[in-house]
C-alpha cells in the first residue's frame, strides 16, 4: 500500500452532514482531528462526536480478529479468517440448499459507503440469489423518501444545498432537533434569522432548536398529518394560496383541498393540542404575511420558504401521509420549484441517502431503479453479467424481514447495523435473531447484535478505508483512508469477495474504486445517476464544493438545485396528495395513559454501539433517562434522578427521571441509544407505515411508575455504556 499522507482530508463517520475534517498523523501520537475549514458544509465546525471520532480506532475498543461460535451454546472464540470464511460459506450454502435461497437474508446499514451498500445488494441478488435484503435506513428516512417520490417523482433528501437555508424567508421545521442531532447545521438557521427570516418549529418537546423559533407548535405525538391539514385549511380559507403556481406546476389540488376543508383550526386544536390561534399564526407566517397585518390577503408570494421534516413526523404509522401533508402546505403556498424554496428531508445516517439509492433496499436496484421494472432489471443484469430473469424480485422491508427470522429466514448476514438496540419491539427482534440457524455479523465493534452471532467479521471503518458517501443535500463525497487498519481487520468488500468465491462466484470486485466504477455504470440512466462520477473525479474536486447527483456525464457539473424548471414526474408537475388524517394506531387508554416518543441526544448516536465506547461522550451523557413534565412527576411522586419504570404492551424499561417543563404533560421522551434495562426500543411498536415500511417509533402508549427498588437497574444500564 502507498504511504499515507501526514494530513488527510476526509469526512466524519457519523451523521448525514458528513462534516469535512482533517486527520493529522504524527509519529508516536494518536491520530488528531481538526475541522476542515475549506469544506463548505461545516466550514471547520465539528460536534463533540466528530471531534472524538478517532477514539474508535483504538484496538482496545474495537474488533481485531474474527470470532466464531462452533456450536450453539458455545462462546465466541477467536478464529482465523479462513476458518471463519469457510464456516460461513458452508452454513449459508447448506441452509440455502436445505430450505431454498429465500431462507437466507441480508440486513445492511445506512452508515455503509456506496461501495459496501452496492456490493451488499449485488451479493444478495447474484451470489445468494435471495430477494431478502433491506437495511436500517428503513428506520430512518423511508417515509420521507416515499412522500417525495409521490409528490416530486424523485427522492433526494435536500433538493438544494444546505447553504440555501440561510437565505430563505421562512422555514417550517417539523420533527427535528438539529441543535442536538446536527449542531454544525444550526449555523445556517441562525444566519437565516439574522437575515430577517423566521423559523417555525413543530415538536412535542421544547428542545434547544425549538427555543430558537419564532413560533413553536407542540402537537400530540402522532397527529402531524392533522396539524399540517389545519395549516393548509387556513391558507385556503384566508386566500393565501398561490393559485398561479398551483395551476401551472401542480396537479391534485382539488382533492387535497377537499380533505383540508375538514380540518378547521378549532378541530385541529381538539385533536393535536395546538391552540387554534397558533395554527392560524403558523399558516400566515409561512405564507409570508407579516405578524399583525390587517390585510391577510396582501400578496405574500414574493416571500420564499422551505418545509423541512425529520424523524419526529416521519416515524409514525402514517409517516408518508404526514410528510405529504406538509409538502401540500409548501405547494399550496407556491414555495417549491423556486430559488430558496422547497421541501427537504433532513437525512439522519451518514450515508442514509446513498444506502438506498444503490441497491441495499428491498425494492430497489442501483440508480434508484425499481426492481420490478423490466428495463431496470435488464440494465443492471447486463452490468453484473447475469441473466435478468435470474435476479430475484422485491424482498421484505426491514421490520418484516427481522420478524421472519427463525421461521422463513433461517440465516441472516448483518453488516453495519445493531437491530438488537435500534429495531422497534427490540425484545421480540432479539428473540427472532436467537431463533436463527445461523447469524453472521460484519462490524467494527462487538455490538449487542454481534454478541449473538455465530460468526463475527472485524471490518475496517471510515479512517481505515477509502470510499464514497452522499450527504443530506445529495452531495457525493470521497472519504479518504488516513491510517492502516489493524493487521487482522479486513474491509466488508474483502469479506463479500471471499464469500462469493467460496460460494461459486469468483471475481467479485473488492477494490473501492473499481466497485464505484461499476456502480456508476449500473446507475447510468437511473433517477440517481452517478455515471459521470469516479473516485478520480471526486478526488480532484475535493478542494471545492463536491458534486451533487444526478451527474450523468464526466463533464456534467452536477445538480445542486433540482426542480427549478420541472419536477421529476412524467409530466413535470408536482403532486398534491389528499391525506386522510387518522388517529394514532395506539392511543392512550386507562391501562396505558401516556404517550412515549423517542429520539437522540447530543453526545450519543443511533444504537450507541460506537459512541458508548468513547469516554468523553459517556461523561457528557452517561445513560438512559425518561424526560417527563413536573406535573406528571408529581403524580408519580418521583424526583430528579429517581428510577422510573416505563411499560408498554411490548415490555418495560427502567431509567432515571429527568424532569422538565419543556415537554407536554401527557408525553414522555426516552433516547434510544442504550441497551439493557434502559432500552427504549423495548417499548416501541412494530407497526409500520403501509406506504414506506417505516416503523412508528414516535407513538406508543405507556404507563409509568416509580421504581425506587430498581435503582440498581438504572446504574446497571449506565455501566453498560462503558462496554
Amino acid at each position: 500500500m502507498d504511504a499515507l499522507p501526514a494530513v488527510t482530508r476526509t469526512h466524519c463517520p457519523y451523521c448525514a452532514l458528513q462534516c469535512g475534517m482533517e486527520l493529522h498523523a504524527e509519529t508516536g501520537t494518536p491520530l488528531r482531528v481538526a475541522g476542515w475549514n475549506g469544506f463548505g458544509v461545516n466550514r471547520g465546525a465539528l460536534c463533540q462526536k466528530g471531534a472524538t471520532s478517532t477514539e474508535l480506532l483504538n484496538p482496545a475498543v474495537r474488533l481485531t480478529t474474527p470470532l466464531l461460535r462452533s456450536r450453539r451454546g458455545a462462546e465466541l472464540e477467536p478464529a482465523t479468517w479462513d476458518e471463519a470464511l469457510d464456516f460461513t460459506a458452508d452454513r449459508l450454502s447448506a441452509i440455502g440448499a436445505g430450505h431454498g435461497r429465500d431462507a437466507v437474508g441480508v440486513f445492511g446499514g445506512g452508515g455503509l459507503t456506496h461501495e459496501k451498500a452496492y456490493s451488499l445488494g449485488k451479493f444478495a441478488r447474484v451470489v445468494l440469489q435471495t430477494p431478502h435484503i433491506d437495511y436500517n435506513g428503513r428506520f430512518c428516512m423511508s417515509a420521507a423518501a416515499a412522500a417525495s417520490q409521490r409528490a416530486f417523482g424523485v427522492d433526494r433528501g435536500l433538493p438544494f444545498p444546505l447553504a440555501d437555508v440561510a437565505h430563505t424567508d421562512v422555514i417550517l421545521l417539523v420533527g427535528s432537533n438539529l441543535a442536538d442531532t446536527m449542531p454544525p447545521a444550526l449555523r445556517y438557521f441562525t444566519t437565516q434569522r439574522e437575515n430577517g427570516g423566521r423559523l417555525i418549529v413543530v415538536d412535542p418537546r421544547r428542545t434547544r432548536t425549538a427555543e430558537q423559533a419564532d413560533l413553536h407548535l407542540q402537537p400530540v405525538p402522532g397527529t402531524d398529518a392533522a396539524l399540517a391539514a389545519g395549516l393548509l385549511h387556513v391558507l385556503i380559507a384566508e386566500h393565501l394560496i398561490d393559485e398561479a403556481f398551483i395551476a401551472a406546476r401542480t396537479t391534485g389540488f382539488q382533492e387535497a383541498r377537499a380533505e383540508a376543508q375538514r380540518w378547521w383550526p378549532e378541530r385541529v386544536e381538539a385533536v393535536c393540542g395546538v391552540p387554534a390561534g397558533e395554527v392560524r399564526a403558523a399558516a400566515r407566517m409561512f405564507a409570508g404575511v407579516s405578524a399583525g397585518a390587517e390585510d391577510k390577503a396582501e400578496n405574500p408570494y414574493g416571500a420564499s420558504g422551505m418545509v423541512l421534516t425529520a424523524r419526529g413526523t416521519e416515524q409514525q404509522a402514517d409517516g408518508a401521509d404526514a410528510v405529504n401533508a406538509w409538502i401540500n402546505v409548501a405547494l399550496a403556498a407556491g414555495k417549491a420549484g423556486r430559488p430558496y424554496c422547497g421541501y427537504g428531508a433532513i437525512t439522519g445516517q451518514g450515508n442514509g441517502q446513498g444506502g438506498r439509492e444503490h441497491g441495499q433496499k428491498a425494492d430497489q436496484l442501483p440508480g434508484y431503479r425499481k426492481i420490478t421494472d423490466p428495463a431496470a432489471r435488464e440494465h443492471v443484469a447486463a452490468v453484473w453479467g447475469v441473466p435478468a430473469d435470474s435476479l430475484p424480485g422485491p424482498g421484505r422491508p426491514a421490520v418484516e424481514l427481522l420478524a421472519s427470522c427463525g421461521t422463513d429466514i433461517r440465516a441472516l448476514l448483518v453488516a453495519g447495523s445493531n437491530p438488537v438496540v435500534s429495531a422497534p419491539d427490540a425484545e421480540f427482534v432479539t428473540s427472532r435473531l436467537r431463533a436463527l440457524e445461523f447469524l453472521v455479523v460484519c462490524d467494527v465493534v462487538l455490538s449487542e447484535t454481534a454478541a449473538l452471532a455465530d460468526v463475527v467479521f472485524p471490518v475496517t471503518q471510515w479512517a481505515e478505508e477509502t470510499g464514497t458517501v452522499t450527504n443530506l443535500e445529495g452531495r457525493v463525497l470521497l472519504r479518504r483512508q488516513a491510517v492502516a487498519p489493524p493487521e487482522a481487520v479486513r474491509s466488508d468488500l474483502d469479506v463479500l469477495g471471499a464469500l462469493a468465491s467460496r460460494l461459486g462466484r469468483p471475481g467479485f470486485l473488492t477494490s473501492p474504486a473499481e466497485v464505484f466504477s461499476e456502480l456508476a455504470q449500473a446507475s447510468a440512466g437511473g433517477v440517481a445517476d452517478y455515471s459521470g462520477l469516479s473516485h478520480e473525479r471526486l478526488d480532484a474536486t475535493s478542494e471545492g464544493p463536491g458534486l451533487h447527483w444526478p451527474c450523468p456525464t464526466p463533464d456534467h457539473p452536477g445538480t445542486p438545485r433540482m426542480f427549478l424548471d420541472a419536477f421529476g414526474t412524467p409530466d413535470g408537475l408536482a403532486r398534491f396528495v389528499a391525506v386522510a388524517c387518522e388517529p394514532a394506531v395506539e392511543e392512550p387508554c386507562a391501562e396505558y395513559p401516556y404517550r412515549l416518543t423517542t429520539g437522540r441526544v447530543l453526545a450519543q448516536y443511533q444504537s450507541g454501539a460506537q459512541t458508548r465506547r468513547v469516554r468523553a461522550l459517556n461523561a457528557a451523557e452517561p445513560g438512559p433517562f425518561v424526560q417527563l413534565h413536573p406535573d406528571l412527576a408529581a403524580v408519580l411522586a418521583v424526583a430528579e434522578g429517581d428510577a422510573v419504570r416505563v411499560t408498554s404492551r411490548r415490555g418495560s424499561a427502567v431509567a432515571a427521571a429527568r424532569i422538565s417543563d419543556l415537554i407536554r404533560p401527557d408525553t414522555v421522551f426516552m433516547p434510544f441509544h442504550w441497551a439493557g434495562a434502559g432500552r427504549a426500543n423495548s417499548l416501541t411498536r412494530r407497526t409500520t407505515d403501509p406506504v414506506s415500511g417505516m416503523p412508528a417509533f414516535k407513538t406508543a402508549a405507556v404507563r409509568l411508575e416509580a421504581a425506587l427498588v430498581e435503582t440498581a437497574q438504572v446504574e446497571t444500564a449506565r455501566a453498560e455504556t462503558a462496554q
Side-chain angles (χ1 to χ4, degrees), residues 50-302:
T52 58
S53 54
T54 56
E55 289 197 28
L56 268 298
L57 301 170
N58 183 349
V61 300
R62 53 89 55 82
L63 293 167
T64 57
T65 188
L67 302 174
L68 190 151
R69 195 188 312 271
S70 59
R71 55 181 173 78
R72 284 298 166 96
E75 296 294 320
L76 281 169
E77 301 285 351
T80 68
W81 272 94
D82 282 339
E83 288 171 341
L85 289 166
D86 289 344
F87 186 75
T88 299
D90 288 346
R91 295 297 293 130
L92 293 176
S93 181
I95 291 169
H99 300 287
R101 297 184 185 278
D102 289 8
V104 180
V106 177
F107 195 83
L112 300 178
T113 62
H114 292 125
E115 293 79 5
K116 294 179 180 182
Y118 168 84
S119 296
L120 205 61
K122 181 181 176 183
F123 181 83
R125 293 172 176 122
V126 174
V127 179
L128 299 176
Q129 293 187 289
T130 178
H132 298 310
I133 175 172
D134 212 75
Y135 80 130
N136 63 17
R138 184 76 68 171
F139 302 160
C140 174
M141 219 185 126
S142 56
S148 293
Q149 289 175 315
R150 289 199 294 192
F152 307 119
V154 176
D155 157 39
R156 196 181 87 182
L158 297 183
F160 41 75
L162 183 61
D164 282 6
V165 164
H167 303 287
T168 194
D169 291 314
V170 60
I171 298 169
L172 182 55
L173 181 64
V174 187
S176 174
N177 180 17
L178 282 164
D180 280 2
T181 60
M182 294 182 173
L186 199 62
R187 66 171 61 185
Y188 294 104
F189 293 80
T190 302
T191 302
Q192 184 253 357
R193 296 195 65 220
E194 291 171 350
N195 290 340
R198 287 174 287 182
L199 175 63
I200 306 164
V201 170
V202 179
D203 196 312
R205 301 190 301 141
R206 191 162 183 83
T207 63
R208 293 197 303 136
T209 306
E211 290 282 0
Q212 300 193 26
D214 296 277
L215 179 61
H216 175 209
L217 309 181
Q218 287 186 270
V220 170
T223 64
D224 292 63
L227 178 57
L231 267 67
L232 181 57
H233 179 102
V234 174
L235 293 177
I236 295 167
E238 299 193 2
H239 308 288
L240 298 174
I241 60 174
D242 188 337
E243 294 183 358
F245 175 87
I246 292 169
R249 300 203 59 188
T250 74
T251 185
F253 176 64
Q254 292 308 319
E255 293 82 357
R257 178 186 190 123
E259 182 62 33
Q261 296 295 344
R262 301 174 51 238
W263 290 95
W264 57 94
E266 286 72 20
R267 185 186 182 198
V268 171
E269 179 175 354
V271 171
C272 303
V274 177
E278 292 184 6
V279 176
R280 291 187 172 93
R284 292 166 184 166
M285 186 179 293
F286 186 71
V289 175
S290 300
E294 294 183 5
D295 183 6
K296 300 298 188 297
E298 65 178 287
N299 181 8
Y301 309 131

Side-chain angles (χ1 to χ4, degrees), residues 116 119-120 123 413 491-501 508:
K116 294 179 180 182
S119 296
L120 205 61
F123 181 83
L413 167 62
S491 166
D492 301 72
L493 299 180
D494 293 322
V495 174
L496 296 177
L499 290 175
S501 294
F508 206 81

Side-chain angles (χ1 to χ4, degrees), residues 592-631:
Y592 301 98
Y594 302 105
R595 287 179 167 86
L596 167 74
T597 191
T598 65
R600 285 172 49 189
V601 295
L602 175 62
Q604 300 288 349
Y605 184 72
Q606 303 300 76
S607 76
Q610 296 181 28
T611 51
R612 284 186 276 120
R613 288 167 167 81
V614 177
R615 198 172 309 166
L617 300 180
N618 284 333
E621 198 63 80
F625 62 86
V626 184
Q627 184 186 44
L628 66 161
H629 192 275
D631 292 350

